[in-house]
Amino acid sequence: MCTILAHRPGRRRMCPGRRVSGSPCRSAPRMGDNGRVTRPASARARLDQVCAAAVEVARDGITEVEPSDVGDHLKAAAEGDRLVTHYFECRLPGYRGWRWAVTVTRVPRSRKVTVCETVLLPGPDALLAPGWLPWQERLQPGDLGPGDLLPTPPDDERLAPGYLLSDDPAVEETAWELGLGRSRVFSREGRMDTAQRWYDGDHGPGAAISVAAPAPARCGSCGFYLPLAGVLRQSFGACGNFYAPDDGRVVSVDHGCGAHSEALVETAEAAVDELPTVYDDSAVEELSVSRAPGSVEATEPGEPYGHP
């Protein structure tokens, strides 16, 4: 700060650093540099030793629960002049990481410490409930059960009045005239959001069953594929194969599975083992024939085979 020095009675002399034109002196802090006056109270205050030593007084101030639900003393933090908060471990079931915070104080020149307030606060690793969301944003697919009602807001951007012209020919065929058809139909934004959700879901080309299927086994070439109407016909249809896991569901044209109508099981031809030959008549083996002694004279010519 710029100091005012006494010079003469009735007159004041400014700091030597101040110029005649009225600009601030160079030794003074600049405008906006108010870091010294914007620090929190706990940063400016010193820890009062009398209040910091009153651990048992702070512990006795927790009367909402049993003494066994209050754990070890964690720390003492200065909140202001003669104002200290003691933190204790919380042992209540379901409050992991929470802390009991007891603020104590004392009047000046007094050794008696009193309790200001007691509160249960979450710690750095406390288990907290998720942030609050409106019910419209909390709903997930499958939450709607039998008997439940889910009203659609009148300004839902996914819907448009049925009498407006649409870029979907399937909508214009039934809702082109005022008073006919449905009161509201899918808007362009609603169709695009739906198409992207279906394409990125479990019935698009990135699904595990589609990736594992043969490359030619795509829904667009399957005989069980039922194309949708309108502009979505180019990309989506319904599966009508009873044995397919996507039966009755909307699938993308490039989705696939092993139940494709033209899927053929190719079996490799296995080699047939030849059995060992029992009798081979393709070879001639020469054998020598001997006559019994005395049956035929040795000088007689041999008889031809095949005589009567």
Side-chain angles (χ1 to χ4, degrees):
M1 296 177 61
C2 189
T3 306
I4 301 176
L5 303 177
H7 180 50
R8 291 181 182 179
R11 296 184 62 183
R12 294 182 300 176
R13 187 178 66 175
M14 304 304 293
C15 175
R18 185 178 180 87
R19 293 180 291 185
V20 179
S21 60
S23 60
C25 65
R26 298 179 181 179
S27 61
R30 297 180 179 180
M31 291 291 292
D33 185 11
N34 53 359
R36 290 180 294 177
V37 298
T38 56
R39 291 180 298 172
S42 59
R44 301 195 305 268
R46 293 187 305 172
L47 183 65
D48 186 81
Q49 297 302 320
V50 177
C51 293
V55 176
E56 295 304 322
V57 175
R59 183 186 295 272
D60 294 339
I62 307 175
T63 59
E64 294 85 354
V65 295
E66 298 294 331
S68 59
D69 295 329
V70 182
D72 300 333
H73 182 262
L74 300 178
K75 67 175 183 178
E79 303 291 348
D81 295 336
R82 297 179 300 278
L83 190 65
V84 176
T85 298
H86 291 271
Y87 293 92
F88 299 89
E89 178 187 4
C90 178
R91 295 179 178 175
L92 287 172
Y95 286 86
R96 187 191 66 187
W98 287 66
R99 305 177 297 181
W100 293 104
V102 182
T103 303
V104 297
T105 188
R106 67 183 181 94
V107 298
R109 298 182 181 181
S110 174
R111 310 291 294 183
K112 184 179 180 181
V113 178
T114 58
V115 176
C116 295
E117 63 176 356
T118 303
V119 66
L120 184 61
L121 298 176
D125 56 345
L127 182 62
L128 301 176
W132 183 86
L133 291 175
W135 67 268
Q136 299 96 328
E137 301 179 16
R138 292 199 302 265
L139 290 176
Q140 298 295 327
D143 290 347
L144 191 67
D148 295 337
L149 296 178
L150 181 60
T152 303
D155 57 348
D156 196 324
E157 62 179 8
R158 300 172 301 171
L159 299 174
Y163 56 83
L164 295 180
L165 292 180
S166 172
D167 57 355
D168 191 341
V171 176
E172 296 177 358
E173 290 178 359
T174 58
W176 62 272
E177 186 176 348
L178 180 62
L180 298 180
R182 295 168 290 173
S183 59
R184 289 194 292 176
V185 295
F186 247 141
S187 64
R188 180 180 179 84
E189 291 78 8
R191 289 196 305 272
M192 295 301 102
D193 292 344
T194 301
Q196 191 65 47
R197 185 175 66 253
W198 287 352
Y199 197 80
D200 297 337
D202 296 335
H203 311 294
I209 191 172
S210 180
V211 174
R218 301 297 101 181
C219 293
S221 60
C222 181
F224 301 107
Y225 180 74
L226 303 172
L228 295 184
V231 295
L232 294 182
R233 178 187 183 91
Q234 303 174 6
S235 302
F236 298 98
C239 176
N241 190 347
F242 175 77
Y243 298 101
D246 297 316
D247 179 43
R249 295 177 173 86
V250 175
V251 293
S252 65
V253 68
D254 50 355
H255 182 71
C257 71
H260 194 277
S261 62
E262 309 305 322
L264 300 177
V265 179
E266 298 180 358
T267 58
E269 296 182 0
V272 179
D273 296 335
E274 295 184 1
L275 297 177
T277 303
V278 178
Y279 178 76
D280 186 4
D281 57 355
S282 61
V284 178
E285 182 179 1
E286 296 183 359
L287 298 176
S288 60
V289 180
S290 62
R291 299 186 178 95
S295 60
V296 180
E297 295 293 336
T299 58
E300 293 182 0
E303 296 183 4
Y305 293 101
H307 63 279

Coordinates of all heavy atoms in Angstrom, one line a residue, residues 160-166 168-185:
A160 N -42.4 -35.4 -35.7 CA -42.9 -34.2 -36.4 C -44.4 -34.4 -36.7 O -44.9 -35.6 -36.8 CB -42.1 -34.0 -37.7
P161 N -45.2 -33.4 -36.9 CA -46.6 -33.5 -37.2 C -46.8 -34.3 -38.5 O -46.1 -34.2 -39.4 CB -47.1 -32.1 -37.3 CG -46.2 -31.3 -36.5 CD -44.8 -31.9 -36.6
G162 N -47.8 -35.2 -38.5 CA -48.0 -36.1 -39.6 C -48.4 -35.4 -40.9 O -48.2 -35.9 -41.9
Y163 N -49.0 -34.2 -40.8 CA -49.5 -33.5 -42.0 C -48.4 -32.7 -42.7 O -48.6 -32.2 -43.8 CB -50.6 -32.5 -41.6 CG -50.3 -31.5 -40.6 CD1 -49.6 -30.3 -40.9 CD2 -50.6 -31.7 -39.2 CE1 -49.3 -29.4 -40.0 CE2 -50.3 -30.8 -38.3 CZ -49.6 -29.6 -38.6 OH -49.3 -28.7 -37.7
L164 N -47.2 -32.6 -42.1 CA -46.1 -32.0 -42.7 C -45.4 -32.9 -43.8 O -45.4 -34.1 -43.6 CB -45.0 -31.6 -41.7 CG -45.4 -30.5 -40.7 CD1 -44.2 -30.2 -39.7 CD2 -45.8 -29.2 -41.4
L165 N -44.9 -32.3 -44.9 CA -44.3 -33.1 -45.9 C -43.0 -33.6 -45.3 O -42.3 -33.0 -44.5 CB -44.0 -32.2 -47.1 CG -45.2 -31.7 -47.9 CD1 -44.7 -30.9 -49.1 CD2 -46.0 -32.9 -48.4
S166 N -42.7 -34.8 -45.7 CA -41.5 -35.5 -45.2 C -40.7 -36.0 -46.4 O -41.2 -36.1 -47.5 CB -41.9 -36.7 -44.3 OG -40.8 -37.5 -44.0
D168 N -39.5 -38.9 -46.5 CA -39.7 -40.3 -46.4 C -40.9 -40.7 -47.2 O -42.0 -40.4 -46.8 CB -39.8 -40.8 -45.0 CG -39.7 -42.4 -44.9 OD1 -39.9 -43.0 -45.9 OD2 -39.4 -42.9 -43.8
P169 N -40.8 -41.3 -48.4 CA -42.0 -41.6 -49.2 C -43.0 -42.5 -48.5 O -44.2 -42.4 -48.7 CB -41.5 -42.3 -50.4 CG -40.1 -42.7 -50.1 CD -39.6 -41.8 -49.0
A170 N -42.5 -43.4 -47.6 CA -43.5 -44.3 -46.9 C -44.4 -43.5 -45.9 O -45.5 -43.9 -45.7 CB -42.7 -45.3 -46.1
V171 N -43.9 -42.4 -45.4 CA -44.7 -41.5 -44.5 C -45.7 -40.7 -45.3 O -46.8 -40.6 -45.0 CB -43.8 -40.6 -43.7 CG1 -44.6 -39.6 -42.8 CG2 -42.9 -41.4 -42.8
E172 N -45.2 -40.2 -46.4 CA -46.1 -39.3 -47.2 C -47.3 -40.1 -47.9 O -48.3 -39.5 -48.1 CB -45.3 -38.6 -48.3 CG -44.2 -37.7 -47.8 CD -43.4 -37.1 -48.9 OE1 -43.6 -37.4 -50.1 OE2 -42.5 -36.2 -48.6
E173 N -47.1 -41.4 -48.1 CA -48.2 -42.2 -48.7 C -49.4 -42.3 -47.7 O -50.5 -42.3 -48.2 CB -47.7 -43.6 -49.0 CG -46.7 -43.6 -50.1 CD -46.2 -45.0 -50.4 OE1 -46.6 -45.9 -49.6 OE2 -45.4 -45.2 -51.3
T174 N -49.2 -42.2 -46.4 CA -50.3 -42.4 -45.5 C -50.6 -41.2 -44.7 O -51.7 -41.1 -44.0 CB -49.9 -43.5 -44.5 OG1 -48.7 -43.2 -43.8 CG2 -49.7 -44.9 -45.2
A175 N -49.8 -40.2 -44.7 CA -50.0 -39.0 -43.9 C -49.9 -37.7 -44.7 O -49.5 -36.7 -44.1 CB -49.1 -39.0 -42.7
W176 N -50.3 -37.7 -45.9 CA -50.1 -36.5 -46.7 C -51.2 -35.5 -46.6 O -51.1 -34.3 -46.9 CB -50.0 -36.9 -48.2 CG -51.2 -37.6 -48.8 CD1 -51.4 -38.9 -48.7 CD2 -52.3 -36.9 -49.4 NE1 -52.7 -39.1 -49.3 CE2 -53.2 -38.0 -49.7 CE3 -52.6 -35.6 -49.7 CZ2 -54.4 -37.7 -50.4 CZ3 -53.8 -35.4 -50.4 CH2 -54.7 -36.4 -50.7
E177 N -52.4 -36.0 -46.1 CA -53.6 -35.1 -46.0 C -53.9 -34.9 -44.6 O -53.8 -35.8 -43.8 CB -54.7 -35.8 -46.8 CG -56.0 -34.9 -46.8 CD -57.1 -35.5 -47.6 OE1 -56.8 -36.5 -48.3 OE2 -58.2 -35.0 -47.6
L178 N -54.2 -33.7 -44.3 CA -54.6 -33.3 -42.9 C -55.7 -34.2 -42.4 O -56.8 -34.2 -43.0 CB -54.9 -31.8 -42.8 CG -55.3 -31.3 -41.4 CD1 -54.1 -31.5 -40.5 CD2 -55.7 -29.8 -41.5
G179 N -55.6 -34.7 -41.2 CA -56.6 -35.5 -40.6 C -56.5 -37.0 -40.9 O -57.2 -37.8 -40.3
L180 N -55.6 -37.4 -41.8 CA -55.4 -38.8 -42.1 C -54.1 -39.3 -41.6 O -53.2 -38.5 -41.4 CB -55.5 -39.1 -43.6 CG -56.8 -38.7 -44.3 CD1 -56.7 -39.0 -45.8 CD2 -58.0 -39.5 -43.7
G181 N -54.0 -40.6 -41.3 CA -52.8 -41.1 -40.9 C -52.5 -40.8 -39.4 O -53.4 -40.5 -38.6
R182 N -51.2 -41.0 -39.0 CA -50.8 -40.7 -37.7 C -50.6 -39.3 -37.4 O -50.3 -38.5 -38.3 CB -49.5 -41.5 -37.4 CG -49.6 -43.0 -37.5 CD -48.3 -43.6 -37.5 NE -47.6 -43.4 -38.8 CZ -46.3 -43.7 -39.0 NH1 -45.6 -44.3 -38.1 NH2 -45.7 -43.4 -40.2
S183 N -50.9 -38.9 -36.1 CA -50.8 -37.5 -35.8 C -49.4 -37.0 -35.8 O -49.1 -35.8 -36.1 CB -51.4 -37.2 -34.4 OG -50.7 -38.0 -33.4
R184 N -48.4 -37.9 -35.4 CA -47.0 -37.5 -35.5 C -46.2 -38.7 -36.0 O -46.6 -39.8 -35.8 CB -46.5 -37.2 -34.1 CG -47.0 -35.8 -33.5 CD -46.2 -35.4 -32.3 NE -46.4 -36.3 -31.2 CZ -45.7 -36.1 -30.0 NH1 -44.8 -35.2 -29.9 NH2 -45.9 -36.9 -29.0
V185 N -45.2 -38.3 -36.8 CA -44.3 -39.4 -37.4 C -42.9 -39.0 -37.1 O -42.5 -38.0 -36.6 CB -44.6 -39.4 -38.9 CG1 -46.0 -39.8 -39.3 CG2 -44.3 -38.0 -39.6

